Amino acid sequence: MAATAVAAGAGAVAGTESAQGPPGPAAALELWLNKATDPSMSEQDWSAIQNFCEEVNTDPNGPTHAPWLLAHKIQSPQEKEALYALTVLEMCMNHCGEKFHSEVAKFRFLNELIKVLSPKYLGSWATAKVKGRVIEILFSWTVWFPEDIKIRDAYQMLKKQGIIKQDPKLPVDKILPPPSPWPKSSIFDADEEKSKLLTRLLKSNHPEDLQAAVLKVAVVYVITPF
């Protein structure tokens, strides 16, 4: 019941946000997000993700408008579109600065993720893969951003309600995109040695190397948004 009540509250807030209408520059946000989450693509367009993140950072309204565009995509009935949108959300949390981060860490956005899991809302038809990714992302945020109390509270509430049965194992190969598709403007180009080390770790077949790569990138992304 608690999850349902929270989700219901978020729905009302989200509706108000949408009714206000996006500002003019938001057209570029929608353009890049549509490309980044195009379900007809067999592989996700990483350059579109980067362009979307850059637009979020340059548009004064980007950090407040982008989460609602993402929420709409995450709640898509098309599994691939929803999964692609969740990847974009992860990247934005790492790349789009404190303002975007703080918007996503509010209950009114977290409620939109809760809706995907709640059987009273979208959870009755959302696929197991989409719900699994939402759970993975929420859990990973409790690990990487322990200072965000609302994220922790939302996750713990879902566990208490039995919607989340157990903590997932974080798939190190899905937390971050492969390094090769990123253009030369990647933040790692400023330090060639770190870039080479990261590439070697990500190509390794040893789990401990992959975990080390995730830790290195997570620390840089949290401290240095592009």
Side-chain angles (χ1 to χ4, degrees), residues 171-201:
V172 295
D173 62 327
K174 292 183 180 179
I175 293 176
L176 299 168
S180 56
W182 287 104
K184 290 295 183 180
S185 59
S186 169
I187 59 175
F188 292 105
D189 292 336
D191 191 325
E192 187 176 353
E193 290 303 316
K194 286 182 181 178
S195 181
K196 289 179 180 178
L197 175 60
L198 178 66
T199 300
R200 180 178 64 79
L201 290 172

mmCIF file of all heavy atoms in Angstrom, residues 171-201:
data_model
loop_
_atom_site.group_PDB
_atom_site.id
_atom_site.type_symbol
_atom_site.label_atom_id
_atom_site.label_comp_id
_atom_site.label_asym_id
_atom_site.label_seq_id
_atom_site.Cartn_x
_atom_site.Cartn_y
_atom_site.Cartn_z
ATOM 1 N N PRO A 171 25.260 -6.310 -12.533
ATOM 2 C CA PRO A 171 25.977 -6.825 -13.713
ATOM 3 C C PRO A 171 27.004 -5.802 -14.173
ATOM 4 O O PRO A 171 26.666 -4.780 -14.742
ATOM 5 C CB PRO A 171 24.862 -7.003 -14.742
ATOM 6 C CG PRO A 171 23.843 -5.968 -14.369
ATOM 7 C CD PRO A 171 23.942 -5.784 -12.875
ATOM 8 N N VAL A 172 28.271 -6.070 -13.946
ATOM 9 C CA VAL A 172 29.310 -5.082 -14.244
ATOM 10 C C VAL A 172 29.386 -4.738 -15.727
ATOM 11 O O VAL A 172 29.859 -3.669 -16.101
ATOM 12 C CB VAL A 172 30.698 -5.564 -13.762
ATOM 13 C CG1 VAL A 172 30.721 -5.680 -12.260
ATOM 14 C CG2 VAL A 172 31.057 -6.905 -14.408
ATOM 15 N N ASP A 173 28.880 -5.614 -16.575
ATOM 16 C CA ASP A 173 28.943 -5.333 -18.006
ATOM 17 C C ASP A 173 27.809 -4.438 -18.472
ATOM 18 O O ASP A 173 27.754 -4.061 -19.635
ATOM 19 C CB ASP A 173 28.924 -6.635 -18.812
ATOM 20 C CG ASP A 173 27.639 -7.422 -18.606
ATOM 21 O OD1 ASP A 173 27.092 -7.369 -17.482
ATOM 22 O OD2 ASP A 173 27.191 -8.071 -19.555
ATOM 23 N N LYS A 174 26.868 -4.080 -17.574
ATOM 24 C CA LYS A 174 25.745 -3.249 -17.983
ATOM 25 C C LYS A 174 25.712 -1.894 -17.276
ATOM 26 O O LYS A 174 24.919 -1.037 -17.642
ATOM 27 C CB LYS A 174 24.413 -3.971 -17.720
ATOM 28 C CG LYS A 174 24.195 -5.180 -18.601
ATOM 29 C CD LYS A 174 22.841 -5.806 -18.333
ATOM 30 C CE LYS A 174 22.614 -7.022 -19.209
ATOM 31 N NZ LYS A 174 21.314 -7.667 -18.949
ATOM 32 N N ILE A 175 26.546 -1.733 -16.276
ATOM 33 C CA ILE A 175 26.525 -0.474 -15.538
ATOM 34 C C ILE A 175 27.001 0.675 -16.422
ATOM 35 O O ILE A 175 26.487 1.771 -16.375
ATOM 36 C CB ILE A 175 27.407 -0.570 -14.280
ATOM 37 C CG1 ILE A 175 26.771 -1.564 -13.295
ATOM 38 C CG2 ILE A 175 27.572 0.775 -13.608
ATOM 39 C CD1 ILE A 175 27.600 -1.813 -12.065
ATOM 40 N N LEU A 176 28.011 0.421 -17.248
ATOM 41 C CA LEU A 176 28.578 1.454 -18.100
ATOM 42 C C LEU A 176 28.628 0.976 -19.545
ATOM 43 O O LEU A 176 28.710 -0.211 -19.802
ATOM 44 C CB LEU A 176 30.000 1.789 -17.624
ATOM 45 C CG LEU A 176 30.098 2.321 -16.194
ATOM 46 C CD1 LEU A 176 31.548 2.321 -15.751
ATOM 47 C CD2 LEU A 176 29.531 3.720 -16.116
ATOM 48 N N PRO A 177 28.581 1.904 -20.517
ATOM 49 C CA PRO A 177 28.666 1.511 -21.919
ATOM 50 C C PRO A 177 30.097 1.137 -22.286
ATOM 51 O O PRO A 177 31.033 1.502 -21.584
ATOM 52 C CB PRO A 177 28.244 2.789 -22.657
ATOM 53 C CG PRO A 177 28.690 3.874 -21.748
ATOM 54 C CD PRO A 177 28.455 3.343 -20.352
ATOM 55 N N PRO A 178 30.282 0.423 -23.390
ATOM 56 C CA PRO A 178 31.649 0.114 -23.832
ATOM 57 C C PRO A 178 32.383 1.405 -24.165
ATOM 58 O O PRO A 178 31.775 2.365 -24.626
ATOM 59 C CB PRO A 178 31.426 -0.741 -25.085
ATOM 60 C CG PRO A 178 30.049 -0.418 -25.536
ATOM 61 C CD PRO A 178 29.270 -0.113 -24.298
ATOM 62 N N PRO A 179 33.683 1.476 -23.932
ATOM 63 C CA PRO A 179 34.406 2.733 -24.118
ATOM 64 C C PRO A 179 34.598 3.141 -25.571
ATOM 65 O O PRO A 179 34.676 4.318 -25.868
ATOM 66 C CB PRO A 179 35.764 2.457 -23.467
ATOM 67 C CG PRO A 179 35.908 0.977 -23.541
ATOM 68 C CD PRO A 179 34.522 0.405 -23.403
ATOM 69 N N SER A 180 34.651 2.190 -26.504
ATOM 70 C CA SER A 180 35.025 2.516 -27.884
ATOM 71 C C SER A 180 34.079 3.461 -28.621
ATOM 72 O O SER A 180 34.544 4.284 -29.388
ATOM 73 C CB SER A 180 35.187 1.226 -28.696
ATOM 74 O OG SER A 180 34.028 0.441 -28.644
ATOM 75 N N PRO A 181 32.722 3.377 -28.447
ATOM 76 C CA PRO A 181 31.859 4.261 -29.238
ATOM 77 C C PRO A 181 31.947 5.730 -28.845
ATOM 78 O O PRO A 181 31.485 6.581 -29.581
ATOM 79 C CB PRO A 181 30.446 3.723 -28.960
ATOM 80 C CG PRO A 181 30.644 2.348 -28.438
ATOM 81 C CD PRO A 181 31.944 2.403 -27.695
ATOM 82 N N TRP A 182 32.506 6.055 -27.663
ATOM 83 C CA TRP A 182 32.534 7.454 -27.252
ATOM 84 C C TRP A 182 33.476 8.248 -28.146
ATOM 85 O O TRP A 182 34.570 7.810 -28.456
ATOM 86 C CB TRP A 182 32.983 7.588 -25.795
ATOM 87 C CG TRP A 182 31.938 7.143 -24.842
ATOM 88 C CD1 TRP A 182 31.930 5.971 -24.153
ATOM 89 C CD2 TRP A 182 30.738 7.824 -24.476
ATOM 90 N NE1 TRP A 182 30.802 5.892 -23.369
ATOM 91 C CE2 TRP A 182 30.061 7.004 -23.558
ATOM 92 C CE3 TRP A 182 30.172 9.040 -24.836
ATOM 93 C CZ2 TRP A 182 28.847 7.373 -22.988
ATOM 94 C CZ3 TRP A 182 28.957 9.402 -24.272
ATOM 95 C CH2 TRP A 182 28.316 8.578 -23.369
ATOM 96 N N PRO A 183 33.083 9.450 -28.543
ATOM 97 C CA PRO A 183 33.945 10.312 -29.362
ATOM 98 C C PRO A 183 35.204 10.720 -28.606
ATOM 99 O O PRO A 183 35.346 10.472 -27.414
ATOM 100 C CB PRO A 183 33.059 11.548 -29.639
ATOM 101 C CG PRO A 183 31.657 11.071 -29.410
ATOM 102 C CD PRO A 183 31.756 10.023 -28.351
ATOM 103 N N LYS A 184 36.112 11.413 -29.306
ATOM 104 C CA LYS A 184 37.386 11.806 -28.715
ATOM 105 C C LYS A 184 37.225 12.788 -27.561
ATOM 106 O O LYS A 184 38.168 13.054 -26.838
ATOM 107 C CB LYS A 184 38.286 12.439 -29.790
ATOM 108 C CG LYS A 184 38.785 11.437 -30.826
ATOM 109 C CD LYS A 184 39.704 10.398 -30.187
ATOM 110 C CE LYS A 184 40.260 9.449 -31.222
ATOM 111 N NZ LYS A 184 41.138 8.440 -30.630
ATOM 112 N N SER A 185 36.033 13.347 -27.394
ATOM 113 C CA SER A 185 35.810 14.302 -26.316
ATOM 114 C C SER A 185 35.613 13.616 -24.972
ATOM 115 O O SER A 185 35.292 14.254 -23.987
ATOM 116 C CB SER A 185 34.579 15.171 -26.608
ATOM 117 O OG SER A 185 33.435 14.350 -26.756
ATOM 118 N N SER A 186 35.777 12.288 -24.945
ATOM 119 C CA SER A 186 35.613 11.556 -23.697
ATOM 120 C C SER A 186 36.480 12.141 -22.607
ATOM 121 O O SER A 186 37.603 12.594 -22.849
ATOM 122 C CB SER A 186 35.978 10.078 -23.894
ATOM 123 O OG SER A 186 36.068 9.412 -22.655
ATOM 124 N N ILE A 187 35.981 12.130 -21.363
ATOM 125 C CA ILE A 187 36.712 12.698 -20.239
ATOM 126 C C ILE A 187 38.019 11.966 -20.008
ATOM 127 O O ILE A 187 38.939 12.517 -19.427
ATOM 128 C CB ILE A 187 35.872 12.670 -18.947
ATOM 129 C CG1 ILE A 187 35.468 11.235 -18.610
ATOM 130 C CG2 ILE A 187 34.690 13.573 -19.048
ATOM 131 C CD1 ILE A 187 34.751 11.106 -17.280
ATOM 132 N N PHE A 188 38.143 10.731 -20.503
ATOM 133 C CA PHE A 188 39.353 9.963 -20.265
ATOM 134 C C PHE A 188 40.482 10.351 -21.212
ATOM 135 O O PHE A 188 41.623 9.992 -20.990
ATOM 136 C CB PHE A 188 39.079 8.462 -20.378
ATOM 137 C CG PHE A 188 38.213 7.962 -19.273
ATOM 138 C CD1 PHE A 188 36.888 7.651 -19.505
ATOM 139 C CD2 PHE A 188 38.710 7.826 -17.985
ATOM 140 C CE1 PHE A 188 36.090 7.204 -18.471
ATOM 141 C CE2 PHE A 188 37.910 7.374 -16.957
ATOM 142 C CZ PHE A 188 36.593 7.055 -17.200
ATOM 143 N N ASP A 189 40.184 11.093 -22.287
ATOM 144 C CA ASP A 189 41.225 11.492 -23.213
ATOM 145 C C ASP A 189 42.220 12.442 -22.562
ATOM 146 O O ASP A 189 43.344 12.602 -23.035
ATOM 147 C CB ASP A 189 40.610 12.154 -24.462
ATOM 148 C CG ASP A 189 39.827 11.152 -25.288
ATOM 149 O OD1 ASP A 189 40.124 9.946 -25.180
ATOM 150 O OD2 ASP A 189 38.914 11.560 -26.005
ATOM 151 N N ALA A 190 41.807 13.106 -21.494
ATOM 152 C CA ALA A 190 42.698 14.035 -20.799
ATOM 153 C C ALA A 190 43.815 13.286 -20.081
ATOM 154 O O ALA A 190 44.834 13.860 -19.737
ATOM 155 C CB ALA A 190 41.910 14.884 -19.806
ATOM 156 N N ASP A 191 43.629 11.993 -19.850
ATOM 157 C CA ASP A 191 44.642 11.196 -19.169
ATOM 158 C C ASP A 191 44.798 9.891 -19.929
ATOM 159 O O ASP A 191 44.038 8.939 -19.738
ATOM 160 C CB ASP A 191 44.225 10.936 -17.723
ATOM 161 C CG ASP A 191 45.354 10.333 -16.892
ATOM 162 O OD1 ASP A 191 46.140 9.549 -17.458
ATOM 163 O OD2 ASP A 191 45.440 10.645 -15.696
ATOM 164 N N GLU A 192 45.773 9.848 -20.830
ATOM 165 C CA GLU A 192 45.924 8.705 -21.726
ATOM 166 C C GLU A 192 46.203 7.411 -20.977
ATOM 167 O O GLU A 192 45.703 6.348 -21.339
ATOM 168 C CB GLU A 192 47.062 8.989 -22.708
ATOM 169 C CG GLU A 192 47.206 7.930 -23.795
ATOM 170 C CD GLU A 192 48.270 8.290 -24.809
ATOM 171 O OE1 GLU A 192 48.801 9.422 -24.731
ATOM 172 O OE2 GLU A 192 48.568 7.441 -25.664
ATOM 173 N N GLU A 193 46.982 7.498 -19.908
ATOM 174 C CA GLU A 193 47.317 6.294 -19.157
ATOM 175 C C GLU A 193 46.083 5.691 -18.506
ATOM 176 O O GLU A 193 45.878 4.474 -18.511
ATOM 177 C CB GLU A 193 48.381 6.613 -18.103
ATOM 178 C CG GLU A 193 49.758 6.931 -18.687
ATOM 179 C CD GLU A 193 50.274 5.796 -19.565
ATOM 180 O OE1 GLU A 193 50.154 4.624 -19.161
ATOM 181 O OE2 GLU A 193 50.775 6.078 -20.667
ATOM 182 N N LYS A 194 45.230 6.552 -17.926
ATOM 183 C CA LYS A 194 44.001 6.051 -17.309
ATOM 184 C C LYS A 194 43.094 5.429 -18.352
ATOM 185 O O LYS A 194 42.435 4.420 -18.107
ATOM 186 C CB LYS A 194 43.264 7.188 -16.584
ATOM 187 C CG LYS A 194 43.915 7.615 -15.286
ATOM 188 C CD LYS A 194 43.089 8.700 -14.609
ATOM 189 C CE LYS A 194 43.744 9.146 -13.311
ATOM 190 N NZ LYS A 194 42.962 10.234 -12.661
ATOM 191 N N SER A 195 43.061 6.036 -19.527
ATOM 192 C CA SER A 195 42.224 5.513 -20.608
ATOM 193 C C SER A 195 42.691 4.127 -21.029
ATOM 194 O O SER A 195 41.885 3.215 -21.223
ATOM 195 C CB SER A 195 42.263 6.473 -21.799
ATOM 196 O OG SER A 195 41.454 5.996 -22.840
ATOM 197 N N LYS A 196 44.014 3.953 -21.172
ATOM 198 C CA LYS A 196 44.550 2.651 -21.559
ATOM 199 C C LYS A 196 44.274 1.597 -20.492
ATOM 200 O O LYS A 196 43.911 0.455 -20.788
ATOM 201 C CB LYS A 196 46.051 2.770 -21.799
ATOM 202 C CG LYS A 196 46.415 3.538 -23.061
ATOM 203 C CD LYS A 196 47.933 3.631 -23.224
ATOM 204 C CE LYS A 196 48.296 4.394 -24.491
ATOM 205 N NZ LYS A 196 49.763 4.531 -24.633
ATOM 206 N N LEU A 197 44.440 1.999 -19.228
ATOM 207 C CA LEU A 197 44.187 1.068 -18.130
ATOM 208 C C LEU A 197 42.726 0.653 -18.098
ATOM 209 O O LEU A 197 42.404 -0.530 -17.943
ATOM 210 C CB LEU A 197 44.571 1.720 -16.796
ATOM 211 C CG LEU A 197 44.242 0.909 -15.528
ATOM 212 C CD1 LEU A 197 44.968 -0.433 -15.542
ATOM 213 C CD2 LEU A 197 44.588 1.706 -14.279
ATOM 214 N N LEU A 198 41.836 1.623 -18.279
ATOM 215 C CA LEU A 198 40.401 1.324 -18.275
ATOM 216 C C LEU A 198 40.046 0.358 -19.391
ATOM 217 O O LEU A 198 39.307 -0.605 -19.180
ATOM 218 C CB LEU A 198 39.605 2.615 -18.422
ATOM 219 C CG LEU A 198 38.082 2.442 -18.489
ATOM 220 C CD1 LEU A 198 37.547 1.917 -17.171
ATOM 221 C CD2 LEU A 198 37.410 3.742 -18.850
ATOM 222 N N THR A 199 40.581 0.607 -20.590
ATOM 223 C CA THR A 199 40.300 -0.270 -21.725
ATOM 224 C C THR A 199 40.763 -1.688 -21.442
ATOM 225 O O THR A 199 40.059 -2.669 -21.732
ATOM 226 C CB THR A 199 40.993 0.269 -22.989
ATOM 227 O OG1 THR A 199 40.501 1.584 -23.259
ATOM 228 C CG2 THR A 199 40.699 -0.627 -24.185
ATOM 229 N N ARG A 200 41.968 -1.824 -20.873
ATOM 230 C CA ARG A 200 42.494 -3.155 -20.561
ATOM 231 C C ARG A 200 41.622 -3.875 -19.541
ATOM 232 O O ARG A 200 41.316 -5.060 -19.693
ATOM 233 C CB ARG A 200 43.928 -3.036 -20.024
ATOM 234 C CG ARG A 200 44.555 -4.383 -19.682
ATOM 235 C CD ARG A 200 45.984 -4.217 -19.192
ATOM 236 N NE ARG A 200 46.048 -3.468 -17.949
ATOM 237 C CZ ARG A 200 45.777 -4.004 -16.755
ATOM 238 N NH1 ARG A 200 45.397 -5.264 -16.648
ATOM 239 N NH2 ARG A 200 45.873 -3.274 -15.661
ATOM 240 N N LEU A 201 41.209 -3.153 -18.516
ATOM 241 C CA LEU A 201 40.384 -3.769 -17.475
ATOM 242 C C LEU A 201 39.040 -4.220 -18.029
ATOM 243 O O LEU A 201 38.549 -5.302 -17.702
ATOM 244 C CB LEU A 201 40.174 -2.785 -16.323
ATOM 245 C CG LEU A 201 41.401 -2.468 -15.458
ATOM 246 C CD1 LEU A 201 41.094 -1.337 -14.492
ATOM 247 C CD2 LEU A 201 41.853 -3.702 -14.688
#
